[in-house]
Amino acid sequence: MTRFDAATPEERRKLFVAAIDAHRERASPYATFEAHEDVRADDEDADDRLPPWVQFGDGTLNLDCTDGELDALKSLLGEFPAFKIDDLARPEEAEGVNVRVSALADPNRVAQCIDAVFRDVYGQPEEFRAWVAAV
């Protein structure tokens, strides 16, 4: 891979496909995608907050979300019938829920779903910047 970020929908999906392909070629455990968050200088909670992220590995998407975001994810997956929630984990030491979604589809469809997760579940704007944080 030569590029690790993108900010338009088309470029983000190309980036996600390239990272998924690189992940598979390298047989790495997963590829991690993060949304870039602009932090305001007066944001006191910025150090405690992680940017939204999605991991892909072994045909599975992995993400953390709040209960409200989980409802949005369930609704979104209605548009992606090949994607199904496999597991929900609610660790006692963490807020929210960890979700594992089977994503047995080609890299283009997985990339479309990941982009939709960032926009529809995490509320990112149309032109948000996404990063490949790990491959």
Side-chain angles (χ1 to χ4, degrees):
M1 285 189 59
T2 57
R3 215 169 38 104
F4 295 94
D5 72 312
T8 66
E10 182 179 342
E11 290 301 312
R12 281 193 310 268
R13 287 189 292 273
K14 288 179 184 178
L15 177 70
F16 298 156
V17 168
I20 290 166
D21 289 343
H23 149 73
R24 288 179 172 163
E25 288 171 11
R26 297 174 185 179
S28 65
Y30 51 81
T32 302
F33 310 100
E34 292 181 358
H36 179 82
E37 284 202 329
D38 291 322
V39 178
R40 296 187 341 242
D42 63 346
D43 189 350
E44 295 176 9
D45 296 325
D47 290 339
D48 296 331
R49 190 177 56 240
L50 296 174
W53 57 269
V54 177
Q55 285 183 328
F56 175 81
D58 292 330
T60 301
L61 297 176
N62 181 36
L63 57 140
D64 288 341
C65 54
T66 65
D67 288 334
E69 291 166 341
L70 178 58
D71 290 341
L73 177 64
K74 288 176 180 177
S75 177
L76 172 69
L77 292 180
E79 299 172 29
F80 294 88
F83 294 69
K84 307 252 186 281
I85 294 176
D86 284 339
D87 187 43
L88 299 173
R90 297 181 185 272
E92 289 182 25
E93 66 279 357
E95 293 181 27
V97 61
N98 178 262
V99 185
R100 296 180 59 77
V101 177
S102 63
L104 303 176
D106 66 86
N108 287 317
R109 192 66 172 153
V110 174
Q112 290 171 359
C113 186
I114 292 169
D115 196 56
V117 166
F118 279 115
R119 287 183 294 102
D120 299 346
V121 175
Y122 291 131
Q124 295 296 305
E126 185 75 16
E127 301 293 323
F128 80 95
R129 182 169 303 284
W131 292 87
V132 176
V135 177

